Amino acid sequence: MVNLTQVSATPSPDLLTPDNAVVLFVDHQPQMFFGTGSGDRSAIINATVGLAKAAKAFDVPRVLTTVAAESFSGPLLPQLGAVFPDAKIIDRTSMNAWEDPALVEAVKATGRGKVVIAGLWTEVCLVLPVLSMITQGYEVYVVTDASGGVSPKAHEHAIQRMTQAGAVPVTWLQVLLELQRDWARTETYGAVTEIVKEHADAYGLGIVYAHAFIGEHAAG
């Protein structure tokens, strides 16, 4: 039952904000994309770059990691690296990123308790660290469209497993708009609408249309 004395116009503490989240990108690399068969790889790349630009627009801490970059999986996705050209990339040998001390320390150093994570493959390189982080008390948000598995079933079952353990499935656009949350926040309004126009397909075209007929300050 609702206690009306406690009702007010305040956001839930469960919401992602620029001050409580860190974004973790796991193994967006050529060899990992070669084996991805759960969805359109171009769409996954688009979502990954959209998520990266969202983190950059709101100055959310981000951690980028690769696995066996020089011996098997290849370098970080160039489009992702272009968003963060000066970022330190943590290369690992472990499939479970959370077993790499350098990565764990990088996440801990942000001081954030909510981890937004995306990567390849969903059933290995996401499931393993997500379950590990949840066990240690982190709130984990899995960006499903910026991630992919070797097959649709592998991706789907991995998301189910993480969700059952307490992870929250989200999309990159959901993360972007949750960070913005109010179109009156003019300091990030321009960056957000540009990201939407570039990466959000029909929604982005809708903003282009609205700006053309209403003006540059048409709400998203």
Side-chain angles (χ1 to χ4, degrees):
M1 180 178 293
V2 176
N3 181 349
L4 296 179
T5 64
Q6 300 297 315
V7 175
S8 63
T10 55
S12 166
D14 290 333
L15 295 179
L16 295 168
T17 74
D19 300 318
N20 67 18
V22 54
V23 182
L24 176 55
F25 296 91
V26 181
D27 304 348
H28 291 93
Q29 299 166 261
Q31 183 64 40
M32 306 306 293
F33 272 106
F34 295 159
T36 298
S38 60
D40 180 72
R41 282 171 284 193
S42 296
I44 296 172
I45 291 172
N46 178 71
T48 301
V49 177
L51 177 65
K53 290 182 177 179
K56 184 174 184 178
F58 289 92
D59 199 24
V60 175
R62 47 271 181 183
V63 177
L64 289 80
T65 183
T66 55
V67 63
E70 295 185 3
S71 60
F72 178 73
S73 300
L76 185 74
L77 176 70
Q79 296 94 318
L80 177 57
V83 180
F84 307 121
D86 300 321
K88 176 184 177 182
I89 301 168
I90 301 171
D91 193 47
R92 322 175 320 276
T93 60
S94 60
M95 286 185 281
N96 181 3
W98 205 250
E99 292 181 42
D100 185 88
L103 181 135
V104 173
E105 288 305 314
V107 174
K108 286 174 62 178
T110 69
R112 309 300 176 88
K114 297 180 185 290
V115 179
V116 178
I117 186 171
L120 306 176
W121 298 315
T122 322
E123 65 272 25
V124 180
C125 301
L126 285 192
V127 164
L128 302 183
V130 165
L131 296 184
S132 301
M133 286 187 286
I134 290 173
T135 298
Q136 295 182 21
Y138 281 94
E139 298 175 47
V140 183
Y141 299 75
V142 179
V143 188
T144 59
D145 55 352
S147 306
V150 298
S151 69
K153 282 295 183 184
H155 182 67
E156 175 188 345
H157 292 166
I159 292 170
Q160 290 174 348
R161 184 180 180 187
M162 291 184 286
T163 302
Q164 289 170 356
V168 180
V170 294
T171 65
W172 80 267
L173 183 58
Q174 180 180 349
V175 172
L176 173 70
L177 298 182
E178 195 162 321
L179 293 173
Q180 176 69 19
R181 213 171 68 232
D182 188 339
W183 292 117
R185 291 178 175 162
T186 55
E187 65 274 14
T188 50
Y189 174 87
V192 168
T193 53
E194 286 304 310
I195 294 168
V196 168
K197 285 191 287 186
E198 187 172 357
H199 297 283
D201 300 323
Y203 176 31
L205 290 176
I207 290 185
V208 172
Y209 179 87
H211 284 173
F213 285 92
I214 301 174
E216 285 300 314
H217 297 290

